[in-house]
Amino acid sequence: MEELKPLTMNRSLLNAPSVLLTADYRKYLLYAPLNQEMIIGNHLFTFMIKHFRFNKLETASFTLKGKRFLCIEQVEGITPFDTFYDFLWESKLKFNAFLQPRTLFELFLFDLFFPIWSKPIPKLLVAEKKNRFAVDAVVANDFEGIHFSPLSISQLGMDHPSMRLFFSYIKADLPTILDDFLALYHEKFEVDIKYQLSYYPEHRNAYWNEVKQCFDPNYINYVTASAHNFIIRLS
């Protein structure tokens, strides 16, 4: 994790540093004091997101008065993704303004196959000439532990009419997208995750006991069948 050496710090009303500006003009929000669980969670989350080639906002650290803080990147024109923005794809013409729309389906697949963050991963809408999707820097539980807790298609909101409309535009491509995702869901990735956790011996066994359930063949078959069923039921 990069250690920030900011040029300036903007202070909040509580007279505490809030936004850091780096020498290359990146902005970071001073998020929370770092602990071991957050360090491990951030490491694992970043590693997994990179494996699936998603764009993610960066995390970094900053030391203030002897205490190390987690910082998260701030970028203009980004907002949490919500079905409220369905006006952006209410027609095929508007939908065509999305760059790599398959990414949203892949992000939902990540939620289905790796339900270890308590809630769905935070998806972002990057509003540009060609809209695109990204992943926020911090997961819902602030990396305070990893727990295997499967999420259904319904729980993820994929059955929402707005989501069904979005995916209906690329229904013919979804089986191939699923196959491409599964091609990255291999034994080497499982081994790599276990190796990443080996850097943290005090938490390694407990965390791996949760993560390894994502690689159980019965679970993979079940989730794959759920994804196929979702695709078939699209109008």
Side-chain angles (χ1 to χ4, degrees), residues 210-227:
E210 300 296 324
V211 175
K212 71 179 182 181
Q213 297 178 70
C214 301
F215 292 93
D216 182 274
N218 292 329
Y219 179 71
I220 295 174
N221 291 338
Y222 170 76
V223 175
T224 302
S226 297

Side-chain angles (χ1 to χ4, degrees), residues 141-161:
N141 67 355
D142 295 344
F143 304 122
E144 292 288 352
I146 291 174
H147 306 285
F148 180 79
S149 182
L151 295 164
S152 67
I153 294 284
S154 178
Q155 287 173 309
L156 289 174
M158 295 175 70
D159 269 334
H160 190 283

Side-chain angles (χ1 to χ4, degrees), residues 176-234:
T176 299
I177 297 171
L178 175 58
D179 288 343
D180 291 344
F181 184 91
L182 289 170
L184 293 172
Y185 202 107
H186 44 61
E187 185 178 351
K188 183 180 182 303
F189 183 45
E190 179 181 5
V191 172
D192 288 344
I193 291 178
K194 190 172 185 179
Y195 177 76
Q196 296 301 316
L197 290 174
S198 70
Y199 288 115
Y200 311 98
E202 293 183 3
H203 295 76
R204 175 187 57 207
N205 291 340
Y207 277 27
W208 177 242
N209 286 338
E210 300 296 324
V211 175
K212 71 179 182 181
Q213 297 178 70
C214 301
F215 292 93
D216 182 274
N218 292 329
Y219 179 71
I220 295 174
N221 291 338
Y222 170 76
V223 175
T224 302
S226 297
H228 277 299
N229 186 51
F230 170 76
I231 295 170
I232 292 170
R233 292 188 294 107
L234 282 174

Side-chain angles (χ1 to χ4, degrees), residues 16-230:
S18 56
V19 178
L20 314 177
L21 179 65
T22 67
D24 55 357
Y25 301 104
R26 291 174 295 152
K27 290 183 179 180
Y28 283 84
L29 177 69
L30 197 70
Y31 187 75
L34 268 171
N35 58 37
Q36 187 72 352
E37 288 77 12
M38 293 173 72
I39 292 171
I40 300 171
N42 175 71
H43 180 165
L44 184 61
F45 184 61
T46 300
F47 175 80
M48 295 174 70
I49 290 296
K50 183 178 180 181
H51 175 80
F52 286 99
R53 303 166 190 159
F54 298 132
N55 291 319
K56 183 182 82 68
L57 296 187
E58 297 294 331
T59 53
S61 63
F62 176 65
T63 302
L64 178 69
K65 297 181 179 178
K67 179 174 289 188
R68 196 175 177 211
F69 288 83
L70 177 69
C71 302
I72 57 177
E73 184 182 12
Q74 303 290 286
V75 179
E76 299 295 332
I78 290 184
T79 185
F81 175 73
D82 193 279
T83 55
F84 172 79
Y85 295 103
D86 60 354
F87 64 88
L88 293 174
W89 62 86
E90 61 187 3
S91 69
K92 184 62 180 295
L93 181 63
K94 289 187 175 182
F95 174 81
N96 288 337
F98 279 90
L99 182 67
Q100 290 289 312
R102 62 178 288 157
T103 301
L104 185 59
F105 188 62
E106 292 169 336
L107 290 172
F108 277 118
L109 290 178
F110 187 91
D111 284 328
L112 283 171
F113 283 90
F114 296 101
I116 55 177
W117 308 105
S118 299
K119 292 182 180 180
I121 60 172
K123 304 166 187 66
L124 300 176
L125 177 63
V126 184
E128 298 173 328
K129 186 175 181 179
K130 278 285 190 178
N131 301 317
R132 58 188 175 89
F133 299 103
V135 180
D136 209 346
V138 179
V139 294
N141 67 355
D142 295 344
F143 304 122
E144 292 288 352
I146 291 174
H147 306 285
F148 180 79
S149 182
L151 295 164
S152 67
I153 294 284
S154 178
Q155 287 173 309
L156 289 174
M158 295 175 70
D159 269 334
H160 190 283
S162 294
M163 290 291 85
R164 295 182 64 83
L165 176 62
F166 185 99
F167 293 125
S168 70
Y169 293 125
I170 54 173
K171 178 180 178 179
D173 300 326
L174 295 182
T176 299
I177 297 171
L178 175 58
D179 288 343
D180 291 344
F181 184 91
L182 289 170
L184 293 172
Y185 202 107
H186 44 61
E187 185 178 351
K188 183 180 182 303
F189 183 45
E190 179 181 5
V191 172
D192 288 344
I193 291 178
K194 190 172 185 179
Y195 177 76
Q196 296 301 316
L197 290 174
S198 70
Y199 288 115
Y200 311 98
E202 293 183 3
H203 295 76
R204 175 187 57 207
N205 291 340
Y207 277 27
W208 177 242
N209 286 338
E210 300 296 324
V211 175
K212 71 179 182 181
Q213 297 178 70
C214 301
F215 292 93
D216 182 274
N218 292 329
Y219 179 71
I220 295 174
N221 291 338
Y222 170 76
V223 175
T224 302
S226 297
H228 277 299
N229 186 51
F230 170 76

